[in-house]
Amino acid sequence: MRARVCVTLKPSVVDPQDRTIADALHSLGYAKAEDVRQRKYFELDLATTEAGHARALAAEVADKLLANPVIESYRIEVD
């Protein structure tokens, strides 16, 4: 089963790279791009056929390695 983990900074955390990308978009004429948030995306192939077990494994991996819970949050999708 495949699990996808999308990690992003919490809304209260300001990332200079996000601001730089937004400013570059504005300078290129994309004034309607109001904000940019970049993310980290991971795909995990897990040896299980149960969606609940795959979600629990992905959450454990995200908590221990993929995300910093102080400044990041994550979302999990399972196929």
Side-chain angles (χ1 to χ4, degrees):
M1 185 156 281
R2 178 167 290 167
R4 291 177 302 282
V5 181
C6 183
V7 179
T8 189
L9 290 171
K10 291 182 177 178
S12 61
V13 178
V14 177
D15 184 5
Q17 188 171 2
D18 293 346
R19 186 73 252 153
T20 299
I21 294 167
D23 290 345
L25 287 171
H26 295 158
S27 71
L28 291 171
Y30 297 102
K32 295 199 184 275
E34 294 178 349
D35 193 24
V36 175
R37 296 295 280 187
Q38 66 175 330
R39 300 164 191 243
K40 295 185 285 186
Y41 175 78
F42 302 91
E43 285 188 356
L44 305 169
D45 288 326
L46 303 168
T48 184
T49 58
E50 297 179 26
H53 188 231
R55 183 174 301 282
L57 285 171
E60 185 176 333
V61 168
D63 286 335
K64 289 185 178 182
L65 178 66
L66 303 180
N68 176 347
V70 175
I71 62 170
E72 295 174 319
S73 58
Y74 60 86
R75 183 182 75 245
I76 297 172
E77 298 174 359
V78 176
D79 286 344

